[in-house]
Amino acid sequence: MASADSSSDSSAAMPSKNSDGTGIKRKHKSISVQAKVEILRKLDRGVSVKKLCDTYGLGSSTVYDIKKHREKILQFFAESQSKKQMSIRKTMKSGKSTELDRVLLEWFRQRRSDGVDLSGIMVQEQAKLYHKALKLDYECDYSEGWLHRFKSRHGISMRKVCGEKRSANHEAADDYVDEFAKLVADENLSPQQVYNADETALYWRCTPRKTLSMEDEEAPTGFKQSKDRVTVLGCSNAAGTYRCKPLVIGKSKCPRALKGVKVYPVIYRANKNGWITTELMLEWFEKYFVAEARAHCTSVGLPEDCKILLILDNCSAHPRAELLRKNNVFTAYLPPNCTSLIQPQDQGILRSMKAKYRTLFMKRMLDVVNSGKPIESFIKDFNMKDVLWFVASAWENVNSLTLKNGWHKLWPAMVFENAPDEDPSIAFTGFRVANDDECVLELLEYAKTCTATAANNLSSRLNEENLAEWMEVDVETPVVRHCTDSEIIDMVLNPAKITESDDGDSEDENVIEIPTGIDKLIEMISELIKGLEQRNFVTEQELMHFHLMKEKLYRERSKLMKQPRLDVMFKKLCKNVPKSSTCSLASPIPPSSRSGPCSPDIPCATVPPEILLQDHADD
């Protein structure tokens, strides 16, 4: 019997026999990287190895070898710039320096995402710079031959730049609307099954201009407008009936404000610059989006295995569509330069969320400042915990009609479909989904109701013009940062260096956080209920939530109050006795419980009642 070839590109199986008994070796067959990815996807769907061998004409050892190198194949495929090239290329051979290839490829991706038109000479010159930066110990002239091999390895093709190529592509957008309609019809998808996700930057404690001074004054010397930012990913379906929990990306992995927090209203992640990355996008898709979208579709009566489509734009941080497939959930990408034209989240949905966030932020600032505190103090105290709850509240308060009307350019037919409880008369309001003007007017009215102090009359300084300008402050802020050459090297070769900010806001992981005791929580919530019962604006339903939480705390406390065994209790008593004590503990009965007094020369081991109670609770 012939031995099996260990390469993933060759096939070897039990040879067949000639009439004279001699073996016939299976003909060598190489398959493309694209085909290997298809095989891995089919294995994930439960297709048998035997069926795959018959379909692709491979030996079973080859299929198992492809499965063994799954991560390597998928990563190589994801890093490729051309799906067409992957359908041709059959090997995954890297260049002389794997590090140089990875860094240069990341540089190429980022510059193309920024709209830079790259030529072959530019790539060659950048390779020479990285050669020096990486201190490679071999010589290379980075010739035309090297460039050809680099482009071939990664499926890169250089195209001629034509006219206004980087401007919004109206023709491509119009073509994609027809293509999208065909996709929806072919897959028989309902609006409940189609989702769109997009990211936006948010300056989370930026204030309007002129809030720190009177109208005719300059801002105080030394004060710098805050540009602290997070990236928020919003995702909702075309029916406007479901919005996924937002993903918020900050700069600090463990902010002080989140110390000890176990429940989050959003999905919180962090990296050094607060931007979206391929890794975060993959995690969000596989761990959160698939489960949420599937649960919603099931809840509205769709089959448990129905197809779900996610629409994304061509952000450089988004993985290839082939990697964003799981459990009958698949992804489609909008054409380049069409985001501003047909991307649903970009048609006012995320803008509405940010406007509502700023409304909450300004109302909080007005309340704090008009109570006598300076603005600087409010900005300093406003922390990441506030941000997460404000973002969650703003996202939840985006109107369902806004979520639906955001699709009116990509899916025009959606405009004519009304939900059972939706008033058809409000479906044609000019598709004005961004409510900045309403938020500005709401804030001005709210400011008038505030009781301002004479020393810090912030309410009188706000006007429609500077509030409208403030609403637009981060509209053009990118969600994927333009990295320097050194940052790209660190991103690719030292990813740990960009996982967390070093801005001093991180919490020491070695510090042990002592949680608030249950008795204290019961006391606090009882006092809160007592206060809320005296307020007319609090409804019975709202109060009931607090009573239910109080009952839950009582149930948790009862679990900690179980009766301990005597031997366990005495062991803990011995453990808590100070070492300096010389009183014998040979007897299982503590000295204070014996029939006679202890000798005056032998100090008794006294255990405070609170230690006994703590040990009791620990059991």
Side-chain angles (χ1 to χ4, degrees):
M1 181 174 66
S3 60
D5 191 342
S6 61
S7 169
S8 62
D9 289 329
S10 60
S11 302
M14 183 72 72
S16 57
K17 300 288 185 178
N18 283 326
S19 57
D20 58 359
T22 59
I24 300 177
K25 188 175 181 179
R26 181 189 295 273
K27 184 178 180 181
H28 176 87
K29 181 177 181 180
S30 297
I31 60 174
S32 67
V33 176
Q34 172 79 36
K36 293 175 187 177
V37 172
E38 291 174 359
I39 289 174
L40 290 171
R41 297 302 180 201
K42 290 180 180 179
L43 284 171
D44 290 342
R45 294 199 297 268
V47 179
S48 66
V49 173
K50 185 177 184 304
K51 186 172 182 179
L52 291 174
C53 291
D54 295 340
T55 302
Y56 291 90
L58 304 173
S60 60
S61 61
T62 302
V63 177
Y64 284 117
D65 203 38
I66 291 173
K67 186 177 180 180
K68 179 181 177 181
H69 294 91
R70 171 190 176 88
E71 296 301 325
K72 182 179 178 182
I73 294 170
L74 291 179
Q75 181 178 356
F76 183 84
F77 186 78
E79 292 176 350
S80 168
Q81 297 295 306
S82 170
K83 182 177 179 181
K84 180 179 179 181
Q85 183 69 19
M86 291 297 101
S87 65
I88 301 173
R89 183 166 182 176
K90 299 180 179 181
T91 65
M92 296 186 293
K93 185 178 179 181
S94 60
K96 194 170 184 178
S97 171
T98 304
E99 292 181 348
L100 176 66
D101 262 33
R102 290 170 59 198
V103 170
L104 189 60
L105 185 61
E106 182 63 31
W107 171 85
F108 183 89
R109 272 210 207 103
Q110 292 208 16
R111 297 302 177 261
R112 289 298 301 134
S113 177
D114 294 334
V116 179
D117 297 310
L118 301 174
S119 65
I121 295 176
M122 293 171 67
V123 175
Q124 290 170 275
E125 291 301 318
Q126 187 63 38
K128 293 176 183 178
L129 294 176
Y130 279 137
H131 186 106
K132 293 178 181 178
L134 296 171
K135 298 179 180 179
L136 301 179
D137 57 0
Y138 64 89
E139 297 294 329
C140 181
D141 57 2
Y142 296 100
S143 62
E144 287 291 334
W146 171 89
L147 178 64
H148 174 76
R149 291 189 296 273
F150 176 78
K151 293 192 296 181
S152 178
R153 280 196 300 273
H154 301 291
I156 295 174
S157 59
M158 303 294 183
R159 294 187 177 91
K160 182 179 179 181
V161 180
C162 302
E164 300 294 327
K165 184 67 176 179
R166 295 299 301 179
S167 61
N169 195 332
H170 291 266
E171 183 179 351
D174 293 340
D175 291 342
Y176 189 79
V177 169
D178 296 334
E179 183 182 335
F180 174 77
K182 184 177 185 304
L183 173 64
V184 169
D186 291 345
E187 300 292 347
N188 193 27
L189 299 173
S190 71
Q192 302 282 1
Q193 298 167 259
V194 183
Y195 288 76
N196 172 239
D198 193 26
E199 308 88 2
T200 185
L202 175 66
Y203 290 153
W204 54 273
R205 54 181 171 192
C206 176
T207 59
R209 296 177 62 186
K210 298 185 179 182
T211 55
L212 295 174
S213 61
M214 299 302 290
E215 293 294 337
D216 56 347
E217 295 176 342
E218 295 292 333
T221 304
F223 181 82
K224 184 179 180 180
Q225 182 66 279
S226 174
K227 290 296 181 71
D228 293 329
R229 60 162 286 170
V230 293
T231 298
V232 181
L233 181 143
C235 179
S236 58
N237 66 2
T241 56
Y242 188 76
R243 64 203 80 194
C244 297
K245 181 180 285 191
L247 169 66
V248 178
I249 306 167
K251 295 184 179 181
S252 179
K253 183 179 179 182
C254 303
R256 288 189 180 92
L258 300 181
K259 181 180 178 181
V261 176
K262 304 297 182 185
V263 179
Y264 293 88
V266 302
I267 305 163
Y268 181 74
R269 294 293 182 269
N271 58 51
K272 185 174 181 180
N273 296 288
W275 56 31
I276 186 70
T277 65
T278 302
E279 292 74 17
L280 289 176
M281 194 68 190
L282 278 170
E283 182 199 21
W284 172 80
F285 177 82
E286 295 182 354
K287 190 175 179 180
Y288 297 100
F289 172 72
V290 172
E292 284 194 63
R294 178 64 63 200
H296 171 70
C297 288
T298 303
S299 70
V300 296
L302 293 169
E304 292 186 0
D305 61 343
C306 69
K307 290 185 178 181
I308 298 174
L309 172 63
L310 174 64
I311 302 293
L312 295 174
D313 60 23
N314 277 271
C315 171
S316 61
H318 293 168
R320 295 185 64 84
E322 289 78 8
L323 295 179
L324 298 179
R325 299 180 70 95
K326 184 179 181 181
N327 300 339
N328 230 13
V329 180
F330 65 105
T331 307
Y333 277 92
L334 298 171
N337 311 320
C338 293
T339 296
S340 62
L341 301 176
I342 56 176
Q343 165 96 299
Q345 294 292 327
D346 204 50
Q347 303 305 309
I349 297 176
L350 290 177
R351 183 171 181 151
S352 176
M353 181 273 293
K354 291 166 71 172
K356 293 180 182 300
Y357 171 90
R358 290 202 162 86
T359 301
L360 293 171
F361 177 86
M362 177 57 69
K363 286 183 176 180
R364 171 75 65 85
M365 185 168 71
L366 286 168
D367 291 338
V368 172
V369 173
N370 286 325
S371 67
K373 291 185 178 180
I375 293 180
E376 292 88 340
S377 176
F378 163 76
I379 294 174
K380 183 178 179 181
D381 294 339
F382 192 80
N383 57 45
M384 189 54 66
K385 184 188 292 187
D386 298 316
V387 175
L388 300 188
W389 284 98
F390 277 23
V391 167
S393 178
W395 180 240
E396 188 64 29
N397 288 325
V398 175
N399 191 282
S400 297
L401 191 59
T402 299
L403 298 178
K404 178 180 174 181
N405 281 347
W407 292 78
H408 74 277
K409 291 185 178 179
L410 178 61
W411 199 350
M414 273 298 303
V415 176
F416 302 97
E417 295 188 16
N418 295 307
D421 57 346
E422 185 178 304
D423 184 358
S425 64
I426 63 174
F428 299 94
T429 56
F431 311 115
R432 189 170 163 277
V433 292
N435 56 356
D436 297 26
D437 294 341
E438 286 89 340
C439 289
V440 169
L441 295 175
E442 179 184 348
L443 286 175
L444 291 174
E445 288 297 320
Y446 186 83
K448 292 177 183 178
T449 65
C450 294
T451 304
T453 62
N456 202 349
N457 192 356
L458 172 61
S459 303
S460 65
R461 300 180 222 166
L462 297 177
N463 58 58
E464 189 170 347
E465 181 181 354
N466 63 25
L467 284 178
E469 179 185 6
W470 177 55
M471 290 286 180
E472 302 279 345
V473 67
D474 47 24
V475 169
E476 299 298 329
T477 304
V479 295
V480 179
R481 184 172 172 270
H482 184 100
C483 298
T484 63
D485 289 350
S486 59
E487 287 174 333
I488 290 176
I489 291 175
D490 282 338
M491 181 189 301
V492 175
L493 304 182
N494 304 301
K497 293 181 68 175
I498 65 166
T499 57
E500 183 177 343
S501 173
D502 55 0
D503 58 4
D505 191 42
S506 298
E507 186 60 51
D508 186 354
E509 294 183 0
N510 295 321
V511 175
I512 299 176
E513 171 70 9
I514 301 176
T516 305
I518 288 185
D519 286 338
K520 182 66 175 176
L521 291 174
I522 292 175
E523 179 184 343
M524 292 166 63
I525 201 168
S526 298
E527 191 67 23
L528 178 61
I529 291 173
K530 183 179 178 180
L532 292 175
E533 287 173 341
Q534 301 171 12
R535 300 294 184 270
N536 294 329
F537 60 83
V538 180
T539 65
E540 294 179 3
Q541 291 81 3
E542 290 171 336
L543 271 176
M544 184 57 66
H545 289 299
F546 292 101
H547 282 287
L548 292 174
M549 181 56 66
K550 184 177 178 180
E551 290 301 316
K552 189 172 184 178
L553 289 171
Y554 273 116
R555 289 195 299 272
E556 287 298 313
R557 189 178 71 167
S558 65
K559 294 178 183 178
L560 299 176
M561 298 301 290
K562 63 182 181 181
Q563 183 68 32
R565 300 200 315 266
L566 284 176
D567 59 334
V568 175
M569 183 178 69
F570 285 128
K571 284 181 182 180
K572 292 194 173 184
L573 280 172
C574 295
K575 182 179 178 181
N576 290 318
V577 173
K579 293 183 179 179
S580 60
S581 299
T582 56
C583 183
S584 172
L585 292 178
S587 170
I589 304 176
S592 59
S593 302
R594 295 176 187 169
S595 58
C598 294
S599 169
D601 298 328
I602 304 176
C604 290
T606 58
V607 182
E610 58 267 23
I611 294 180
L612 289 173
L613 290 175
Q614 182 61 47
D615 293 336
H616 190 93
D618 289 342
D619 290 330

